Amino acid sequence: MKLSFWTYEGPAHFGAIRIAASMRGVHLLLHSPQGDTYADLLFTMIEREGRRPPVTYTTFQARDLGSSTAELVLATARDACERFKPDVLLVTDSCTAELIQDQPGTLVGGANMSTPVISVEMAAYSRKENWGASETFFQLVRGLLASKVPAPGEEPAPRPEGQRPSVNLLGPTLLGFRCRDDVKEITALLDSVGVDVNVVAPLGASAHDLQRLPLADANVCLSPEVADSACEWLTRNFRQPLIRTVPIGVKATDDFLQELATVLNLPIDIEQASPSRLPWYSRSVDSTYLTDKRVFIFADASHAVAAARIASSELGFEVVGLGTYSREQARSVREAARELGLEPLITDDYLEVERHVAELRPEMILGTQMERHIAKRLGIGCAVISTPAHVQDYPARYSPQMGYEGANVIFDTWVHPLMMGLEEHLLRMFREDFEFNDSAAPSHLEEGEATLRDMPTTDVGVGKLTWDISAEKELKKIPFFVRGKARRNTEEYAQGAGLQVIDVETLYEAKAHFSR
Amino acid sequence: MSSVLASDGIEAGYEVIPERGQRAVFCGLTSIIWMHRQIQDAFFLVVGSRTCAHLLQSAAGVMIFAEPRFATAILEDRDLAGMADCNEELDRVVDEVIARRPEIKSLFLVASCPSEVIKLDLGNAAQRMQRRHEGSVRVVAFSGSGIETTFTQGEDSCLHSLVAELPDSHDSTQRLLVAGSLPDVVEDQFRRLLDAMGITDVDFFPGRRFEELPAVGANTQVLLAQPFLNDTARALVGRGAQLLSAPFPYGAEGTLAWLQAAATAWSVPAATFESVTRSSLARAKKSIAARAEKLTGKRVALLPDSQLEIPIARFLSRECGMELLELGTPHFDTEIMAADAALLPHGSKIIEGQNLDAQLDRVREQRPDLTVCGLGIANPLEAEGLRTKWSIELMFTPIQGFDQAGDLVELFTRPLRRQQLLDFT
């Protein structure tokens, strides 16, 4: 049993729902108890979809458990096919159904349905949402294309003369982070360098579209969390090269185009293709105060890796912590952390992330909706860079994260929660102002957006340390956003020096000791 | 038990038609979203799966919590394989919760579908933990599972579990117990009105704090403030209390009749009752009249959600002049619903249960002016050109009593007014 205040991912079957809901002509039969239809709300409310997700739930109740729930599965499957006439029926079960072991996939698969059935096994008690999405997408692709795999030695037909090269964009889904606009941005970027998009999947694709996947010259894996297994299967079976760079950030987008040029053997002038404002905004003197801002990053793997690179090499922040909840994709995060000289935090335990942040005391958190809870508790500025996200992160305006416009969006979003430069200076000089003061939020933010609080003394290994009154007072003169760090450094210094009481002298000794 | 909830001789002018099939409703766990705000020193620990945790955070996670008072103990493979003793695991998790939130006074262990299917006995676990944390935290168990409970039945299940915790009342003075979660503003209004009639010994259940749970006994008269408290009501009767029969306090008529039930039990003189309620009643009627015009003659369909459907339909039809089409409810309790159902238009058909797709077919065919439904259905119906009122809001808005009657109408007129305001089709 695991105590969970917040969970980074939904259950595995929710990943299956995301795939079905993202596509057209694919219907999902989900064996699940009454109440699991709450999942529909994430599509109709958070994504604001104007249609019900194509999911039929068996919604069994306690009284059904006495009789045959298996019959309920079959009857519901028949009704769903009759009513919705899908091209493919996906079948799986939710966590409770897994316990009663009706094997809905096998049942429906063996029932001679007129609709093709693809069943997906979920391991609800060990796997989670992104795994469920990835597995479902993989099974769909494999199920629809297995019969078309070319024989060994058979050469793929060459691209007709004069036809532009094309790629598939794989991975975007509903309830992914900014997928709608990322697809638009990357499609436009590809078009600008003479590359067409063959199929975008799962988002907006039909079963027929999936059957056209092999026609592309390469696959672009925009979301490894969702599309990695399907991409690898396509590479193995249809010998389609795979473009792995996720184009989030200016440099990653440059690299993406470079990889595209190499794979497709195309001349691409990256200098020409780079209209992002981020590099100039970040170089302009107004951004100087951003230098070495201490940030903590926690997200799904692809957004965490991208954020670490942008933060450290495009915005000049100091990344003090980097982690992910995507265990399946953790390798890339480990590598990125190693390059930054950090110990990666690979966990899906919200409480562990919270402990980590409290220990590190960053000046800003780049995370998920869950890190907003932590940021509120600790009084730190925060921007959301990855799922899980809530309704405000599914905006009406164009807000990609990918490509060069994505970098513009990122610059604005990440700098916003930080105290503006002038205010930061004045706060250092005049600490007792009645209006702009320590306990007030940055004045360009609405009140309450971030309740800034002094962080408590760290309780890890501090033991008998006490602060004398004057030192405590002096500490208050350090601006709040670096005060936590100063407190921790001073305590660390005092401990190292074998001191038991911290006075003003210790404070400044520590400052000199740690000054960078 | 003299004043049972039988239909008082009124011949049932309605028919209840059961329907089965796919149900688009919440499970009882959802009630935690308002119950943790209602009982402010309580913590709700769901014992379930990642699905349960996902449900809770999808519903409540848009609010940013510095310290949430609910969480899930997520069952893992090793719990199911019997490699970990579930009871030991649960003890450990509960210790963790109590260490993190030492100020809580009560801990609810909430059962879910998975915990019920594997037959994890949370009642036993609660007793065991009660002994472990004696004197600091009360531990109580109830079920919020989808297989056993629908949406607001979670509150019924929660309050039902509390009935055994209520102290015995040995007093001979007659006391009024108002059962069901109510917004504090409504609670205060009711208390003022009852007080003015001379009914001064009033308790609200559950109230704001676990520590202040009311006593119950043969001197207790119970007035239900919410229509979904079937098990709670019966358990209170089991403790010796008497249940007053009344329609639920929505609108001017409903509130008046609801208060009348208490006044009758306390033998409040008619003149006193009239003088206490006169101005509030007039105010309620005035504010309904000012808004109800937009609803008069409009056709409404109510899909099953909370069991508030029958009393709300009664209010919409009698006080706002709406025509009732579909009248769905997840569960219909003949006794508790008697007073409201008797006031429905003669010949009303109540659909108990749900077959979602068939029900939506009927809605599409009839094209009501307004469909009261859940959030999984609302936007899709809007996209089909139908106007909707999302039903969960009825649980999250003060709608009971005289002074909320206008607000209650407003909930239903707003979608229609909005349609007129927005200049695109």
Side-chain angles (χ1 to χ4, degrees):
Chain A
M1 250 175 239
K2 183 130 197 148
L3 175 62
S4 164
F5 282 86
W6 304 110
T7 161
Y8 286 99
E9 293 180 67
H13 75 257
F14 185 67
I17 301 179
R18 273 174 58 197
I19 299 298
S22 299
M23 295 185 63
R24 306 275 150 179
V26 174
H27 199 88
L28 172 66
L29 175 77
L30 186 66
H31 193 24
S32 61
Q34 163 180 272
D36 279 5
T37 50
Y38 81 85
D40 286 357
L41 270 73
L42 283 97
F43 299 91
T44 60
M45 298 308 291
I46 291 181
E47 275 280 8
R48 282 183 227 255
E49 286 276 286
R51 62 167 196 162
R52 284 174 54 217
V55 185
T56 299
Y57 304 79
T58 55
T59 58
F60 57 85
Q61 293 175 268
R63 62 182 178 206
D64 299 312
L65 293 177
S67 58
S68 172
T69 44
E71 268 166 36
L72 178 67
V73 171
L74 279 177
T76 313
R78 287 204 188 90
D79 284 354
C81 287
E82 174 81 6
R83 173 175 285 271
F84 298 104
K85 303 197 170 27
D87 300 320
V88 181
L89 182 71
L90 281 170
V91 182
T92 194
D93 46 14
S94 76
C95 50
T96 305
E98 192 173 313
L99 295 173
I100 55 179
Q101 298 187 338
D102 282 326
Q103 316 280 349
T106 318
L107 262 176
V108 179
N112 265 328
M113 310 282 294
S114 51
T115 309
V117 174
I118 292 178
S119 98
V120 191
E121 294 280 321
M122 294 294 163
Y125 295 91
S126 54
R127 300 298 197 163
K128 301 192 287 288
E129 176 179 338
N130 282 334
W131 181 88
S134 170
E135 179 67 10
T136 306
F137 187 51
F138 166 62
Q139 296 294 353
L140 256 178
V141 168
R142 196 178 70 161
L144 291 166
L145 286 172
S147 62
K148 297 190 169 184
V149 172
E154 194 181 315
E155 283 300 315
R159 188 167 66 240
E161 195 68 33
Q163 186 178 309
R164 301 212 304 179
S166 72
V167 295
N168 298 316
L169 299 184
L170 301 181
T173 55
L174 290 183
L175 293 174
F177 196 70
R178 309 288 168 86
C179 288
R180 178 196 67 193
D181 297 337
D182 282 346
V183 166
K184 197 172 165 193
E185 182 66 18
I186 294 306
T187 303
L189 180 71
L190 289 168
D191 181 57
S192 74
V193 298
V195 175
D196 285 336
V197 171
N198 177 50
V199 171
V200 179
L203 191 62
S206 67
H208 302 294
D209 291 332
L210 292 190
Q211 292 181 311
R212 293 195 297 109
L213 285 175
L215 298 178
D217 295 291
N219 288 313
V220 170
C221 184
L222 287 182
S223 167
E225 285 81 4
V226 173
D228 231 12
S229 348
C231 284
E232 273 166 22
W233 188 83
L234 288 168
T235 303
R236 255 197 331 274
N237 289 281
F238 291 91
R239 286 188 275 164
Q240 281 174 309
L242 178 57
I243 293 165
R244 287 182 184 277
T245 308
V246 177
I248 302 178
V250 174
K251 291 186 178 183
T253 306
D254 290 350
D255 289 355
F256 168 78
L257 287 176
Q258 192 61 61
E259 195 181 351
L260 184 81
T262 310
V263 164
L264 297 179
N265 196 17
L266 280 180
I268 293 178
D269 184 353
I270 289 164
E271 293 295 313
Q272 283 285 266
S274 184
S276 176
R277 289 185 204 95
L278 183 143
W280 168 243
Y281 268 55
S282 187
R283 245 189 1 251
S284 72
V285 294
D286 195 47
S287 298
T288 310
Y289 84 109
L290 299 177
T291 312
D292 293 335
K293 284 277 176 205
R294 307 173 69 258
V295 297
F296 174 82
I297 298 170
F298 195 82
D300 69 11
S302 45
H303 288 89
V305 170
R309 187 171 180 191
I310 298 168
S312 59
S313 68
E314 297 180 23
L315 293 175
F317 293 158
E318 184 194 353
V319 180
V320 295
L322 176 63
T324 185
Y325 57 83
S326 313
R327 282 183 191 280
E328 290 90 352
Q329 303 287 330
R331 186 192 292 179
S332 60
V333 179
R334 286 205 180 88
E335 271 167 32
R338 200 178 315 119
E339 278 168 27
L340 292 166
L342 297 169
E343 190 61 38
L345 176 65
I346 314 296
T347 182
D348 57 0
D349 182 349
Y350 166 83
L351 296 173
E352 196 180 335
V353 178
E354 187 188 73
R355 277 194 297 277
H356 219 74
V357 177
E359 175 67 22
L360 287 168
R361 301 170 186 209
E363 289 163 76
M364 179 159 77
I365 302 175
L366 299 171
T368 72
Q369 173 76 7
M370 305 307 130
E371 276 62 53
R372 295 181 70 196
H373 299 290
I374 298 174
K376 178 173 181 181
R377 183 159 188 252
L378 300 176
I380 303 172
C382 179
V384 174
I385 60 164
S386 153
T387 53
H390 239 292
V391 63
Q392 63 270 45
D393 280 301
Y394 294 82
R397 66 180 182 277
Y398 187 56
S399 330
Q401 299 286 289
M402 291 183 179
Y404 298 119
E405 180 61 23
N408 296 342
V409 172
I410 286 173
F411 182 89
D412 291 346
T413 314
W414 295 12
V415 172
H416 178 79
L418 293 166
M419 176 81 59
M420 304 278 233
L422 174 64
E423 191 164 336
E424 187 177 312
H425 278 297
L426 290 178
L427 258 179
R428 281 174 199 269
M429 293 169 66
F430 311 105
R431 287 183 188 86
E432 280 145 24
D433 189 281
F434 69 93
E435 187 179 9
F436 304 103
N437 60 42
D438 246 16
S439 54
S443 66
H444 71 288
L445 300 180
E446 277 181 47
E447 216 174 323
E449 197 165 330
T451 317
L452 300 159
R453 273 187 269 157
D454 206 3
M455 283 184 241
T457 304
T458 166
D459 47 18
V460 187
V462 173
K464 308 179 291 290
L465 274 177
T466 50
W467 286 71
D468 82 10
I469 294 165
S470 60
E472 192 76 57
K473 219 170 139 191
E474 199 71 10
L475 182 71
K476 287 262 158 60
K477 294 180 186 167
I478 295 167
F480 63 87
F481 41 84
V482 283
R483 193 181 301 147
K485 168 87 170 165
R487 183 188 277 276
R488 192 179 71 153
N489 281 352
T490 309
E491 285 169 358
E492 204 176 308
Y493 173 82
Q495 214 169 22
L499 300 173
Q500 293 184 356
V501 177
I502 294 169
D503 57 16
V504 178
E505 282 301 303
T506 325
L507 186 67
Y508 285 110
E509 288 289 338
K511 186 183 176 197
H513 179 79
F514 286 105
S515 62
R516 36 184 179 216
Chain B
M1 224 175 93
S2 56
S3 48
V4 202
L5 297 165
S7 48
D8 289 336
I10 304 164
E11 204 177 313
Y14 60 88
E15 188 186 351
V16 180
I17 303 162
E19 191 170 67
R20 294 194 62 174
Q22 188 186 182
R23 298 173 68 129
V25 290
F26 283 124
C27 66
L29 295 182
T30 325
S31 61
I32 293 172
I33 306 301
W34 69 86
M35 289 306 281
H36 89 279
R37 297 274 130 190
Q38 172 81 33
I39 313 178
Q40 293 171 356
D41 51 2
F43 191 99
F44 293 79
L45 180 67
V46 176
V47 182
S49 66
R50 189 169 300 281
T51 309
C52 311
H54 193 231
L55 159 82
L56 281 179
Q57 85 178 34
S58 305
V62 73
M63 298 185 275
I64 310 295
F65 292 91
E67 277 297 352
R69 276 189 291 106
F70 52 84
T72 310
I74 296 181
L75 293 162
E76 296 174 300
D77 267 343
R78 26 187 260 113
D79 300 304
L80 302 176
M83 284 151 68
D85 182 318
C86 278
N87 289 315
E88 280 173 24
E89 286 287 291
L90 193 53
D91 288 353
R92 180 180 56 74
V93 168
V94 166
D95 287 351
E96 215 178 313
V97 168
I98 291 175
R100 191 181 162 96
R101 303 302 304 267
E103 75 284 8
I104 59 166
K105 296 292 178 231
S106 61
L107 177 72
F108 289 95
L109 300 178
V110 192
S112 65
C113 302
S115 79
E116 280 175 358
V117 168
I118 64 168
K119 299 193 170 15
L120 184 58
D121 189 340
L122 293 188
N124 252 331
Q127 284 175 13
R128 186 176 67 246
M129 284 167 207
Q130 181 61 64
R131 289 192 294 274
R132 232 172 123 91
H133 300 280
E134 196 67 65
S136 57
V137 184
R138 291 288 298 158
V139 187
V140 183
F142 72 93
S143 169
S145 75
I147 55 176
E148 294 284 358
T149 61
T150 306
F151 193 31
T152 48
Q153 281 179 327
E155 175 173 336
D156 187 28
S157 184
C158 174
L159 296 189
H160 182 202
S161 74
L162 286 182
V163 172
E165 302 285 314
L166 303 182
D168 277 318
S169 162
H170 302 293
D171 211 334
S172 61
T173 323
Q174 182 167 267
R175 290 191 71 86
L176 180 65
L177 186 76
V178 178
S181 60
L182 282 173
D184 24 14
V185 57
V186 177
E187 209 173 286
D188 293 346
Q189 289 168 9
F190 284 160
R191 200 183 280 282
R192 278 199 299 272
L193 286 165
L194 291 164
D195 201 59
M197 288 175 214
I199 308 175
T200 49
D201 298 310
V202 182
D203 297 307
F204 286 84
F205 177 51
R208 288 290 170 272
R209 305 186 60 78
F210 189 88
E211 288 187 301
E212 296 154 9
L213 287 178
V216 66
N219 65 332
T220 308
Q221 302 283 338
V222 178
L223 200 47
L224 297 181
Q226 296 281 14
F228 43 73
L229 297 178
N230 319 317
D231 289 345
T232 304
R234 298 205 164 84
L236 287 168
V237 170
R239 294 281 307 267
Q242 285 88 47
L243 213 47
L244 302 175
S245 172
F248 290 93
Y250 306 116
E253 179 189 46
T255 305
L256 188 71
W258 187 79
L259 289 168
Q260 180 67 65
T264 306
W266 261 255
S267 306
V268 174
T272 311
F273 183 75
E274 207 271 337
S275 81
V276 167
T277 53
R278 187 190 303 128
S279 65
S280 306
L281 180 65
R283 212 159 49 221
K285 283 183 171 169
K286 199 173 144 198
S287 65
I288 293 170
R291 296 172 174 86
E293 203 178 295
K294 287 197 183 64
L295 298 179
T296 310
K298 295 276 195 302
R299 300 148 73 240
V300 62
L302 297 103
L303 271 45
D305 184 53
S306 61
Q307 298 184 54
L308 266 63
E309 295 83 5
I310 304 300
I312 292 290
R314 178 264 298 159
F315 165 73
L316 290 176
S317 112
R318 290 174 63 93
E319 297 189 56
C320 305
M322 292 190 93
E323 183 190 336
L324 305 177
L325 301 174
E326 187 85 15
L327 192 42
T329 177
H331 176 71
F332 185 84
D333 187 302
T334 317
E335 273 184 299
I336 286 179
M337 230 34 110
D340 277 289
L343 294 170
L344 289 174
H346 197 82
S348 289
K349 289 185 171 60
I350 295 164
I351 314 287
E352 184 187 21
Q354 188 173 31
N355 181 3
L356 177 64
D357 287 311
Q359 189 163 47
L360 289 178
D361 283 348
R362 295 197 294 268
V363 166
R364 289 184 182 113
E365 195 183 324
Q366 295 183 310
R367 298 197 70 78
D369 297 296
L370 196 63
T371 303
V372 183
C373 63
L375 287 172
I377 297 164
N379 271 336
L381 285 184
E382 292 280 346
E384 292 180 30
L386 291 164
R387 297 303 295 164
T388 60
K389 165 74 220 107
W390 50 283
S391 48
I392 305 142
E393 206 173 11
L394 294 167
M395 277 313 298
F396 291 138
T397 313
I399 55 170
Q400 301 87 349
F402 289 127
D403 287 312
Q404 283 64 240
D407 305 338
L408 180 56
V409 186
E410 181 80 24
L411 283 184
F412 297 94
T413 55
R414 202 176 294 148
L416 298 174
R417 221 164 66 76
R418 188 159 183 78
Q419 181 176 33
Q420 289 176 335
L421 285 172
L422 299 183
D423 193 15
F424 30 71
T425 43

